[in-house]
Structure formats: C-alpha cells, structure tokens
Amino acid sequence: MGDAVELEVAGRTLRLSSPDKVFFPERGFTKLDVARYYQSVAPGILRALRDRPTTLERYPDGITGEWFFQKRAPKGMPDWIPTAHITFPSGRSADEMCPTEEAAVVWAAQYGTLTFHPWPVRRGDVDHPDELRIDLDPQPGTGYADAVRAAHELRAVLEEFGGLRGWPKTSGGRGLHVFVPIEPRWTFTQVRRAAIAVGREMERRMPEQVTIKWWKEERGARIFVDYNQTARDRTIASAYSVRPRPHAPVSAPLRWEEVGAAQPEDFDLATMPARFAELGDVHADMDEHAFSLEALLDLAARDERDHGLGDLPYPPEYPKMPGEPKRVQPSRARKDA
C-alpha cells in the first residue's frame, strides 16, 4: 500500500496511510488521489459543509469493499473539528462532525470517506434549516435530459413563488439537485411542506414529466420530486462530493446556463480539479442570500384549503407523523380492502 504520506492543507499537516490503496479499480484512482482531489476543491466543499452536522459515507477498502454511513463523530477525531448535537426522528441523538476548516475534509478522506452528507442546518441552530433542497430523481424510463427539463421549470416556479433563486448541481448520477438558501425561521416540517408545494406545482405544470407520488408503483416514467429529502435526518450529497460509482463521478455545482449543456459524466475525480482551478466555486455566493418560504407555504395552505391536498407519506423508518395519510402502498391497500 506504500508508506504513509503527509499532506499540507491550509496550515495543517495530515497523515495519509496506505496512499496507494486502489479505491476505484476501473479508473485506477487511489486513496491518495481522493485525498488530493479534496485538497484541490477544498474551499468549495468547505463552503458546502461549513458548520453543518455531516454524515460520512465511508469506503475504507474502496468502492468494491464494505461501506457504511458514519453518523456519530469518529473516535479519535481531532479536537480542532467541532461537533453538533443532533436528534433523529426516533428520538435518539448523536454528536456529528461539523467541518469548519478545509483540513477536516482531507482528514475524513484518510478514513475512506468518499461522500459527505451535510444536514441543511448550522451547528448554531440545528432545528431550523437554512436550505431548501429539491431533489429531481429520474425514474426508470427517464434520464438526465428529463431532469434538465424539470430543473428549468423548477427555476420558474421558484421565481414565481417568492422570487426564490436556486443553485443547481449534478447529483453525481442521473439526477439534479437545486439548493435554495433560506432564512432559518422554519422547522423541518414546514420546510418539507414547502418542498411538497413545489413538487405539486411542478406536477400541475408538467403532469406527463414530473411526479410527487411517494409510491414507486405510481410514479411511472417521470422525474420524481423527492420531497422527503427535506425531512429531518435525510441528507443529500454535498457539492464536490465523490460518488461511489466505477467512473468516480463527483457532484458538480453548475451555473444555470450550464444546465443541459454540461453532462454528469463531464465531472469526475480527474476533471473537476481543472474546472475548479479555472472557475473556482461557481456557488460561492450562495451564503450571501437567504430567502423567505412564505409564498410557498401560502401555496401549500391554498392546496390544502381549495383542493384537499394535505400531507404526504414519510419514509418508512419515521414514526407516524401528525396529519400524515395512511402509510401503505396503494396496491396493498386495495388488496387489503
């Protein structure tokens, strides 16, 4: 695996063991390649993670080995990496790492972290999200081009309801994510309600292309607006995160004019460093904005009042939530009836 090496990251010296361990056999990328990648985009990924409780998706032996999500701060974590105490829907809680320095990202790479999953909150207030995150998830029979069409309609919806602005990025797969910085005034439940309102409005405008149906059997060949990605303890891979797929793709921040022109396969462990060196972080201005959800919450209230459209099912691991409809897939409900 080779002798350990030392990496200099923003004034800190970090030790990287087994630098030659192959993490991506198809491309030949090693653990050292991953660490150096995170060195090269450190200001960008720190912007995405700064002060956020962060779950680590770890592959200690590369993408062909065993992997796991690390929610609790790892033992032996340096004291210069702070934590935040967060509570899960089950009522259990944990202290999660909250990167505040570029070196924290490379430190996590030493332990096989490929993907970083930050909460949409800051450690100073872990109960009020400061981002509305919209996940455009292609279903079987659809692809990235379909997600692009949905993203452009989403941009129009956001502008219409409150003058909101979203920052798009590739998921690292076939989908797109759009993040909207918001004022940290609303609970997870309220932010999820706003996401549902967005999804329903998109479904009305693009009924053959977009769905907000939770049950897979009802989605069809459409883009699913995954509103439950805004529920407490559900996270989305951060910008610049490496994704555990054979070609080593990364979740790439985009400018709106690039949505549709660029393709997900354009961005990987080898190509993103050059893009970052040329353009820097194209989402660098996100933290300069904080929008209101009032218009979307008004839309949600009108949907319920005028059309009887209330809450939607939560993920299966969640306790039954107030106002939630029966959590059973339609085909099973018909059979039981």
Side-chain angles (χ1 to χ4, degrees):
M1 298 300 178
D3 296 332
V5 298
E6 290 187 343
L7 301 176
E8 297 293 328
V9 185
R12 294 196 183 275
T13 302
L14 302 175
R15 182 178 182 275
L16 190 81
S17 62
S18 304
D20 298 331
K21 182 183 288 187
V22 176
F23 271 26
F24 292 89
E26 184 175 293
R27 303 286 302 275
F29 293 136
T30 65
K31 181 179 178 179
L32 180 59
D33 291 327
V34 172
R36 284 181 171 158
Y37 164 76
Y38 279 125
Q39 270 187 296
S40 72
V41 299
I45 192 168
L46 180 62
R47 188 267 312 154
L49 300 179
R50 188 188 302 275
D51 285 322
R52 299 190 183 280
T54 300
T55 297
L56 309 178
E57 187 177 345
R58 292 177 54 187
Y59 293 77
D61 296 309
I63 64 169
T64 59
E66 294 185 2
W67 64 278
F68 57 96
F69 287 106
Q70 175 106 43
K71 293 192 174 183
R72 299 180 185 276
K75 292 181 179 179
M77 190 174 71
D79 58 11
W80 48 266
I81 301 178
T83 61
H85 193 73
I86 47 90
T87 303
F88 304 115
S90 64
R92 290 182 293 180
S93 61
D95 293 322
E96 287 204 353
M97 72 175 292
C98 293
T100 57
E101 300 183 32
E102 295 175 8
V105 178
V106 179
W107 176 87
Q110 151 64 14
Y111 293 93
T113 300
L114 293 184
T115 307
F116 295 82
H117 296 267
W119 282 48
V121 299
R122 308 280 183 170
R123 62 190 174 111
D125 183 355
V126 296
D127 293 318
H128 295 89
D130 69 344
E131 286 181 346
L132 169 66
R133 299 173 174 179
I134 307 297
D135 181 7
L136 301 176
D137 185 10
Q139 300 303 291
T142 66
Y144 182 71
D146 301 287
V148 166
R149 284 189 285 273
H152 285 301
E153 190 61 45
L154 169 61
R155 187 184 187 187
V157 169
L158 293 173
E159 173 62 31
E160 183 173 334
F161 290 93
L164 307 182
R165 175 185 168 194
W167 278 255
K169 69 182 185 70
T170 66
S171 67
R174 299 185 307 139
L176 279 164
H177 302 149
V178 178
F179 286 11
V180 180
I182 60 174
E183 301 167 4
R185 294 167 45 196
W186 296 277
T187 65
F188 279 94
T189 302
Q190 291 170 311
V191 173
R192 178 178 174 275
R193 183 173 171 84
I196 290 173
V198 168
R200 283 181 169 143
E201 182 64 21
M202 291 184 64
E203 193 176 52
R204 282 189 285 266
R205 298 182 182 200
M206 305 178 71
E208 301 302 319
Q209 293 83 37
V210 170
T211 181
I212 199 171
K213 300 292 187 185
W214 174 247
W215 303 106
K216 291 183 179 180
E217 65 186 33
E218 294 186 303
R219 294 178 191 169
R222 292 179 286 185
I223 297 298
F224 173 49
V225 181
D226 190 354
Y227 62 90
N228 268 330
Q229 289 296 81
T230 54
R232 180 185 286 271
D233 191 35
R234 295 295 282 253
T235 56
I236 293 178
S238 77
Y240 301 103
S241 273
V242 180
R243 307 313 307 274
R245 296 182 175 90
H247 59 293
V250 303
S251 180
L254 300 175
R255 298 168 294 195
W256 275 108
E257 59 266 28
E258 295 178 299
V259 175
Q263 298 297 312
E265 54 268 25
D266 295 338
F267 309 106
D268 61 28
L269 204 66
T271 61
M272 181 56 83
R275 172 181 168 87
F276 194 88
E278 178 184 357
L279 301 177
D281 179 16
V282 297
H283 286 188
D285 63 333
M286 270 188 70
D287 289 346
E288 299 172 13
H289 302 269
F291 295 98
S292 171
L293 290 181
E294 289 178 359
L296 285 177
L297 293 174
D298 287 345
L299 174 62
R302 291 197 301 274
D303 279 344
E304 186 165 12
R305 182 187 65 239
D306 299 339
H307 305 291
L309 299 174
D311 203 356
L312 292 173
Y314 274 78
E317 71 272 15
Y318 277 63
K320 182 69 175 179
M321 301 296 286
E324 180 188 3
K326 186 179 294 184
R327 198 184 299 173
V328 58
Q329 64 191 71
S331 60
R332 179 172 296 180
R334 288 192 295 269
K335 183 177 179 181
D336 291 345

